[in-house]
Amino acid sequence: MKIGKESFVRLLQFVDKFPHYFLGSNADLPIVGGSILTHDHFQGGNYEFAMATADTEKTYVVKGFEDMSVARVKWPMSVIRLKGNSIERLVELSDHILNSWRQYSDESVDIISFTGETPHNTITPIVRKKNGLFEVDLVLRNNRTSEGASRRNIPSS
């Protein structure tokens, strides 16, 4: 299982054909959703979860993607919401954010993208069609546990 361009294409094409459904994918790393990493694992249904109706806190402009709506969702997890009417543009922007997040580290807040060759950052994507636009929620995930924090004398609670 791997989250990437093809995952975003499949998710968006599905909700294009079945606009009354949402569809999401497990993350592709152990601990944060990758229970069976040998195949794609999508989940969906005709239901509206609370996160889908959550307000946005801040909007952004991503260079080269000025035609896309990008916002941070007011939610307990780090969620970026993309909106647009072009599957191709949303796939490109989703892939850009995924690749940027995979490389992102900020040791001051204990976000480390790699330990040696082991990756820690990925995304859980959730898509839907709402009011004629596609919405892509990208939940930023990191599979490091509090064990790493406790080795640095950082409280894990």
Side-chain angles (χ1 to χ4, degrees):
M1 179 174 161
K2 181 167 176 44
I3 301 295
K5 268 188 176 181
E6 287 304 311
S7 307
F8 301 127
V9 168
R10 287 190 289 272
L11 291 165
L12 286 159
Q13 285 178 341
F14 181 91
V15 298
D16 192 29
K17 290 181 182 178
F18 304 99
H20 53 289
Y21 283 98
F22 79 91
L23 192 65
S25 175
N26 277 2
D28 58 352
L29 291 176
I31 301 173
V32 295
S35 55
I36 302 173
L37 297 177
T38 57
H39 69 276
D40 288 334
H41 186 102
F42 299 126
Q43 299 173 5
N46 185 4
Y47 187 80
E48 187 170 62
F49 285 102
M51 188 172 76
T53 63
D55 292 332
T56 56
E57 294 181 311
K58 185 175 180 180
T59 60
Y60 301 90
V61 175
V62 177
K63 187 175 179 178
F65 295 95
E66 293 83 1
D67 56 325
M68 299 283 102
S69 168
V70 181
R72 183 177 68 221
V73 177
K74 186 176 183 178
W75 196 251
M77 298 175 79
S78 298
V79 181
I80 300 169
R81 178 165 295 149
L82 312 177
K83 290 184 186 181
N85 58 12
S86 167
I87 288 176
E88 294 78 18
R89 294 290 290 155
L90 286 165
V91 166
E92 291 298 321
L93 180 53
S94 297
D95 191 56
H96 171 72
I97 292 170
L98 171 62
N99 290 323
S100 298
W101 174 242
R102 282 190 171 144
Q103 301 302 316
Y104 180 81
S105 289
D106 183 347
E107 291 189 31
S108 71
V109 291
D110 209 34
I111 297 173
I112 298 171
S113 60
F114 286 88
T115 302
E117 297 293 316
T118 304
H120 297 299
N121 292 348
T122 192
I123 285 177
T124 297
I126 303 163
V127 302
R128 68 189 72 81
K129 200 164 187 184
K130 196 174 190 180
N131 300 322
L133 294 175
F134 294 101
E135 288 187 359
V136 179
D137 284 351
L138 301 174
V139 184
L140 305 182
R141 308 299 297 269
N142 179 287
N143 73 348
R144 293 183 70 237
T145 63
S146 59
E147 177 183 318
S150 66
R151 282 182 287 187
R152 293 182 49 205
N153 297 320
I154 298 171
S156 61
S157 53

